[in-house]
Amino acid sequence: MKIVLIHGQAHKGSTWHIADMLLQNIECEKQVREFFLPRELNHFCLGCYRCIDGRERCPFWEDKRVLDEAIRQADLLIFTTPNYCMMPSAPMKAFLDLFFTNWLTHKPYKEMFGKRAVVISTAAGAGAGKAAKLLADNLFNWGIPQVKRYSVNVNAMNWAMVPDRKKDKTARDMRRLAARLSAEPRVRVGIKTRFLFSFYGSMQKANWGASESEKEYWESNGWLNGKKPWKQ
Ligand SMILES: Cc1cc2nc3c(=O)[nH]c(=O)nc-3n(C[C@H](O)[C@H](O)[C@H](O)COP(=O)(O)O)c2cc1C
Protein backbone atom coordinates (compact mmCIF):
# COMPACT_ATOMS: atom_id res chain seq x y z
CA MET A 1 0.00 0.00 0.00
CA LYS A 2 1.33 3.41 -0.96
CA ILE A 3 0.77 5.76 1.95
CA VAL A 4 1.37 9.50 1.82
CA LEU A 5 1.27 11.66 4.93
CA ILE A 6 0.82 15.41 4.68
CA HIS A 7 1.41 17.15 7.97
CA GLY A 8 0.11 20.66 8.57
CA GLN A 9 3.00 21.23 10.95
CA ALA A 10 6.74 20.82 10.62
CA HIS A 11 7.37 19.35 14.08
CA LYS A 12 6.78 15.93 15.62
CA GLY A 13 4.24 16.80 18.30
CA SER A 14 1.04 15.13 19.49
CA THR A 15 -0.57 15.16 16.07
CA TRP A 16 2.42 13.55 14.38
CA HIS A 17 2.76 10.91 17.12
CA ILE A 18 -0.86 9.85 16.71
CA ALA A 19 -0.48 9.60 12.93
CA ASP A 20 2.69 7.59 13.47
CA MET A 21 0.85 5.16 15.76
CA LEU A 22 -1.68 4.65 13.00
CA LEU A 23 1.02 4.14 10.40
CA GLN A 24 2.96 1.62 12.49
CA ASN A 25 -0.19 -0.43 13.09
CA ILE A 26 -1.21 -0.75 9.43
CA GLU A 27 -0.31 -4.31 8.58
CA CYS A 28 0.69 -4.73 4.97
CA GLU A 29 3.63 -4.03 2.73
CA LYS A 30 3.94 -0.25 2.91
CA GLN A 31 5.65 2.40 0.82
CA VAL A 32 5.53 5.56 2.89
CA ARG A 33 6.22 9.18 1.95
CA GLU A 34 5.89 11.95 4.47
CA PHE A 35 5.64 15.70 3.82
CA PHE A 36 5.86 18.41 6.44
CA LEU A 37 4.27 21.80 5.80
CA PRO A 38 5.36 24.53 5.38
CA ARG A 39 8.83 23.03 4.96
CA GLU A 40 7.94 21.18 1.79
CA LEU A 41 5.54 23.74 0.34
CA ASN A 42 5.90 27.27 1.53
CA HIS A 43 3.59 29.40 -0.61
CA PHE A 44 0.24 31.08 -0.40
CA CYS A 45 -2.32 31.13 -3.20
CA LEU A 46 -2.11 34.48 -5.01
CA GLY A 47 -5.69 34.28 -6.25
CA CYS A 48 -4.50 34.69 -9.86
CA TYR A 49 -6.72 31.82 -11.11
CA ARG A 50 -4.07 30.71 -13.61
CA CYS A 51 -4.54 27.15 -12.34
CA ILE A 52 -8.10 27.26 -13.66
CA ASP A 53 -6.65 27.24 -17.18
CA GLY A 54 -4.04 24.60 -16.36
CA ARG A 55 -2.58 23.32 -13.08
CA GLU A 56 0.94 23.78 -14.41
CA ARG A 57 0.24 27.50 -14.94
CA CYS A 58 0.26 28.08 -11.17
CA PRO A 59 3.35 30.21 -10.35
CA PHE A 60 4.27 27.60 -7.70
CA TRP A 61 3.69 24.51 -9.85
CA GLU A 62 7.29 23.28 -9.75
CA ASP A 63 7.12 23.08 -5.93
CA LYS A 64 3.57 21.73 -5.92
CA ARG A 65 4.27 19.08 -8.56
CA VAL A 66 6.17 16.83 -6.13
CA LEU A 67 3.25 16.69 -3.70
CA ASP A 68 0.73 16.46 -6.50
CA GLU A 69 2.43 13.38 -7.96
CA ALA A 70 2.83 11.70 -4.57
CA ILE A 71 -0.85 12.30 -3.74
CA ARG A 72 -2.03 10.92 -7.07
CA GLN A 73 0.02 7.77 -6.66
CA ALA A 74 -1.06 7.08 -3.06
CA ASP A 75 -3.60 4.44 -2.05
CA LEU A 76 -4.05 5.97 1.38
CA LEU A 77 -3.63 9.61 2.33
CA ILE A 78 -3.12 10.67 5.92
CA PHE A 79 -3.54 14.38 6.61
CA THR A 80 -2.74 15.80 10.01
CA THR A 81 -3.19 19.19 11.59
CA PRO A 82 -3.14 20.63 15.08
CA ASN A 83 -6.13 22.82 15.80
CA TYR A 84 -5.05 26.44 15.69
CA CYS A 85 -7.78 28.91 16.70
CA MET A 86 -10.51 26.36 15.93
CA MET A 87 -9.21 25.74 12.42
CA PRO A 88 -6.61 23.68 10.58
CA SER A 89 -3.12 25.16 10.83
CA ALA A 90 -2.21 28.00 8.45
CA PRO A 91 0.23 25.82 6.44
CA MET A 92 -2.53 23.22 5.95
CA LYS A 93 -5.01 25.90 4.90
CA ALA A 94 -2.42 27.30 2.46
CA PHE A 95 -1.93 23.79 1.06
CA LEU A 96 -5.69 23.35 0.51
CA ASP A 97 -5.92 26.71 -1.27
CA LEU A 98 -3.02 25.77 -3.53
CA PHE A 99 -4.81 22.56 -4.55
CA PHE A 100 -8.31 23.97 -4.97
CA THR A 101 -8.33 23.02 -8.67
CA ASN A 102 -8.73 19.42 -7.42
CA TRP A 103 -12.30 20.14 -6.35
CA LEU A 104 -15.10 18.32 -8.18
CA THR A 105 -16.36 21.70 -9.36
CA HIS A 106 -13.15 22.25 -11.32
CA LYS A 107 -10.75 19.54 -12.52
CA PRO A 108 -10.90 16.53 -10.22
CA TYR A 109 -8.32 13.77 -10.78
CA LYS A 110 -9.91 10.44 -11.63
CA GLU A 111 -7.43 8.68 -9.32
CA MET A 112 -9.06 10.35 -6.30
CA PHE A 113 -12.23 8.28 -6.63
CA GLY A 114 -10.34 5.12 -5.69
CA LYS A 115 -8.50 6.45 -2.65
CA ARG A 116 -9.03 6.46 1.07
CA ALA A 117 -8.00 9.24 3.40
CA VAL A 118 -7.66 9.73 7.12
CA VAL A 119 -7.66 13.14 8.79
CA ILE A 120 -6.14 13.48 12.24
CA SER A 121 -6.40 16.58 14.39
CA THR A 122 -5.50 17.39 17.97
CA ALA A 123 -6.38 20.32 20.22
CA ALA A 124 -5.50 21.23 23.77
CA GLY A 125 -9.09 21.61 24.91
CA ALA A 126 -11.61 22.20 22.12
CA GLY A 127 -11.95 22.37 18.37
CA ALA A 128 -10.04 19.35 17.09
CA GLY A 129 -13.25 18.00 15.58
CA LYS A 130 -13.94 21.26 13.83
CA ALA A 131 -10.47 21.43 12.26
CA ALA A 132 -10.71 17.78 11.17
CA LYS A 133 -14.11 18.35 9.59
CA LEU A 134 -12.93 21.34 7.54
CA LEU A 135 -10.02 19.31 6.23
CA ALA A 136 -12.10 16.19 5.58
CA ASP A 137 -14.73 18.23 3.68
CA ASN A 138 -12.03 19.47 1.32
CA LEU A 139 -10.76 15.95 0.61
CA PHE A 140 -14.30 14.68 0.06
CA ASN A 141 -14.75 17.48 -2.46
CA TRP A 142 -11.62 16.29 -4.26
CA GLY A 143 -13.66 13.14 -4.96
CA ILE A 144 -12.12 10.90 -2.29
CA PRO A 145 -15.07 8.69 -1.36
CA GLN A 146 -13.87 7.46 2.02
CA VAL A 147 -12.46 10.02 4.44
CA LYS A 148 -12.18 8.92 8.05
CA ARG A 149 -11.72 11.49 10.80
CA TYR A 150 -9.99 11.18 14.14
CA SER A 151 -9.88 14.14 16.46
CA VAL A 152 -8.80 14.29 20.06
CA ASN A 153 -8.42 16.94 22.73
CA VAL A 154 -5.11 15.94 24.28
CA ASN A 155 -5.17 18.45 27.17
CA ALA A 156 -1.59 19.39 26.39
CA MET A 157 0.65 21.73 24.45
CA ASN A 158 3.01 18.96 23.35
CA TRP A 159 3.30 15.17 23.31
CA ALA A 160 5.42 14.95 26.47
CA MET A 161 2.63 16.63 28.44
CA VAL A 162 -0.15 14.34 27.20
CA PRO A 163 -1.44 12.24 30.14
CA ASP A 164 -0.60 8.50 29.89
CA ARG A 165 -4.27 7.61 30.12
CA LYS A 166 -4.92 9.69 27.00
CA LYS A 167 -1.94 8.17 25.16
CA ASP A 168 -3.19 4.65 25.95
CA LYS A 169 -6.69 5.42 24.71
CA THR A 170 -5.32 6.99 21.53
CA ALA A 171 -3.06 3.98 20.94
CA ARG A 172 -6.08 1.66 21.22
CA ASP A 173 -8.07 3.84 18.81
CA MET A 174 -5.21 3.85 16.29
CA ARG A 175 -4.86 0.05 16.47
CA ARG A 176 -8.57 -0.28 15.75
CA LEU A 177 -8.49 2.21 12.88
CA ALA A 178 -5.38 0.58 11.40
CA ALA A 179 -7.06 -2.84 11.51
CA ARG A 180 -10.02 -1.43 9.57
CA LEU A 181 -7.76 0.21 7.02
CA SER A 182 -5.75 -2.99 6.57
CA ALA A 183 -8.91 -5.08 6.13
CA GLU A 184 -10.97 -2.87 3.75
CA PRO A 185 -8.98 -2.42 0.58
CA ARG A 186 -11.99 -1.79 -1.71
CA VAL A 187 -13.38 1.73 -1.88
CA ARG A 188 -17.02 2.26 -2.75
CA VAL A 189 -18.13 5.54 -4.27
CA GLY A 190 -21.15 6.75 -2.29
CA ILE A 191 -24.35 8.39 -3.42
CA LYS A 192 -23.26 11.89 -2.36
CA THR A 193 -20.11 11.76 -4.52
CA ARG A 194 -22.13 10.38 -7.46
CA PHE A 195 -24.71 13.13 -7.09
CA LEU A 196 -22.11 15.93 -6.81
CA PHE A 197 -20.19 14.58 -9.79
CA SER A 198 -23.27 14.53 -12.00
CA PHE A 199 -24.40 17.95 -10.74
CA TYR A 200 -21.03 19.54 -11.58
CA GLY A 201 -21.05 17.69 -14.92
CA SER A 202 -24.35 19.37 -15.82
CA MET A 203 -22.84 22.71 -14.84
CA GLN A 204 -19.89 22.14 -17.15
CA LYS A 205 -22.24 21.06 -19.94
CA ALA A 206 -24.23 24.27 -19.52
CA ASN A 207 -21.00 26.32 -19.69
CA TRP A 208 -21.38 27.34 -16.05
CA GLY A 209 -17.92 26.14 -15.12
CA ALA A 210 -15.06 28.50 -14.31
CA SER A 211 -13.36 28.29 -17.74
CA GLU A 212 -13.44 26.79 -21.22
CA SER A 213 -10.43 24.71 -20.24
CA GLU A 214 -12.45 23.05 -17.45
CA LYS A 215 -15.16 22.03 -19.89
CA GLU A 216 -12.50 20.63 -22.26
CA TYR A 217 -11.04 18.66 -19.36
CA TRP A 218 -14.42 17.11 -18.51
CA GLU A 219 -15.06 16.42 -22.21
CA SER A 220 -11.67 14.87 -22.87
CA ASN A 221 -12.23 12.48 -19.95
CA GLY A 222 -15.58 11.48 -21.45
CA TRP A 223 -17.37 12.66 -18.31
CA LEU A 224 -19.88 14.76 -20.26
CA ASN A 225 -20.81 11.65 -22.25
CA GLY A 226 -21.61 9.27 -19.44
CA LYS A 227 -18.15 7.98 -18.40
CA LYS A 228 -17.49 7.88 -14.66
CA PRO A 229 -14.05 8.44 -13.14
CA TRP A 230 -14.52 5.61 -10.62
CA LYS A 231 -14.92 3.16 -13.51
CA GLN A 232 -11.91 4.41 -15.50
C1 LIG B 1 -1.40 29.13 17.46
C2 LIG B 1 -2.08 28.08 18.30
C3 LIG B 1 -3.47 28.09 18.39
C4 LIG B 1 -4.12 27.13 19.15
N1 LIG B 1 -5.49 27.15 19.21
C5 LIG B 1 -6.13 26.23 19.98
C6 LIG B 1 -7.55 26.26 20.09
O1 LIG B 1 -8.25 27.06 19.48
N2 LIG B 1 -8.14 25.32 20.88
C7 LIG B 1 -7.40 24.38 21.56
O2 LIG B 1 -7.99 23.56 22.27
N3 LIG B 1 -6.06 24.31 21.44
C8 LIG B 1 -5.40 25.22 20.67
N4 LIG B 1 -4.03 25.16 20.55
C9 LIG B 1 -3.31 24.04 21.16
C10 LIG B 1 -2.98 22.92 20.16
O3 LIG B 1 -4.06 22.68 19.28
C11 LIG B 1 -2.68 21.59 20.85
O4 LIG B 1 -1.72 21.74 21.85
C12 LIG B 1 -2.25 20.53 19.85
O5 LIG B 1 -2.38 19.26 20.45
C13 LIG B 1 -0.81 20.73 19.39
O6 LIG B 1 -0.46 19.71 18.49
P1 LIG B 1 1.06 19.39 18.16
O7 LIG B 1 1.71 18.87 19.42
O8 LIG B 1 1.00 18.36 17.08
O9 LIG B 1 1.67 20.67 17.72
C14 LIG B 1 -3.36 26.11 19.82
C15 LIG B 1 -1.97 26.13 19.71
C16 LIG B 1 -1.33 27.09 18.97
C17 LIG B 1 0.19 27.06 18.87
Side-chain angles (χ1 to χ4, degrees):
M1 194 192 296
K2 288 186 182 155
I3 305 177
V4 167
L5 295 100
I6 314 267
H7 299 292
Q9 68 287 351
H11 58 275
K12 293 186 173 177
S14 303
T15 324
W16 180 88
H17 273 92
I18 295 171
D20 195 53
M21 281 177 183
L22 175 64
L23 185 63
Q24 301 313 327
N25 280 292
I26 294 175
E27 282 178 13
C28 61
E29 202 179 307
K30 290 173 277 193
Q31 284 177 42
V32 179
R33 290 189 72 183
E34 211 165 359
F35 296 93
F36 292 86
L37 304 172
R39 205 164 60 210
E40 265 133 323
L41 188 64
N42 193 4
H43 299 290
F44 292 105
C45 174
L46 303 178
C48 66
Y49 289 109
R50 274 180 246 172
C51 61
I52 289 290
D53 287 326
R55 286 182 166 89
E56 64 295 340
R57 298 193 64 204
C58 170
F60 309 123
W61 178 245
E62 273 317 299
D63 295 338
K64 278 164 65 174
R65 200 167 48 83
V66 182
L67 276 97
D68 184 80
E69 283 171 7
I71 289 170
R72 288 175 73 184
Q73 286 163 13
D75 301 302
L76 174 67
L77 295 162
I78 302 176
F79 282 77
T80 78
T81 183
N83 160 32
Y84 287 168
C85 306
M86 312 301 276
M87 285 180 270
S89 69
M92 182 55 83
K93 175 62 169 67
F95 166 89
L96 293 172
D97 294 346
L98 288 164
F99 283 88
F100 99 107
T101 330
N102 287 7
W103 274 55
L104 292 169
T105 349
H106 300 294
K107 293 183 177 176
Y109 281 127
K110 55 175 173 282
E111 297 92 319
M112 295 299 166
F113 297 85
K115 293 190 196 304
R116 290 177 299 166
V118 177
V119 169
I120 296 174
S121 179
T122 69
K130 208 170 164 189
K133 184 173 184 315
L134 288 168
L135 187 40
D137 284 349
N138 264 265
L139 301 180
F140 183 78
N141 277 286
W142 285 9
I144 300 176
Q146 193 191 90
V147 186
K148 293 186 189 293
R149 282 186 261 158
Y150 185 78
S151 50
V152 57
N153 297 319
V154 290
N155 311 131
M157 287 189 289
N158 56 54
W159 187 239
M161 287 169 65
V162 178
D164 285 343
R165 186 178 34 82
K166 200 79 160 182
K167 284 184 179 165
D168 293 346
K169 159 89 170 65
T170 308
R172 283 198 301 280
D173 291 343
M174 288 303 104
R175 280 199 292 276
R176 207 172 303 126
L177 180 54
R180 282 169 64 193
L181 291 168
S182 312
E184 299 170 354
R186 234 180 98 70
V187 183
R188 300 172 78 92
V189 175
I191 187 134
K192 194 172 164 197
T193 303
R194 287 167 194 261
F195 170 78
L196 287 174
F197 182 80
S198 89
F199 175 73
Y200 293 129
S202 350
M203 280 182 62
Q204 294 294 348
K205 241 181 189 164
N207 296 318
W208 290 343
S211 73
E212 191 53 37
S213 142
E214 275 185 5
K215 186 173 185 181
E216 281 165 20
Y217 178 83
W218 280 69
E219 259 165 1
S220 67
N221 277 294
W223 297 341
L224 300 186
N225 292 311
K227 285 196 181 161
K228 305 290 181 215
W230 49 91
K231 291 187 178 159
Q232 287 175 320

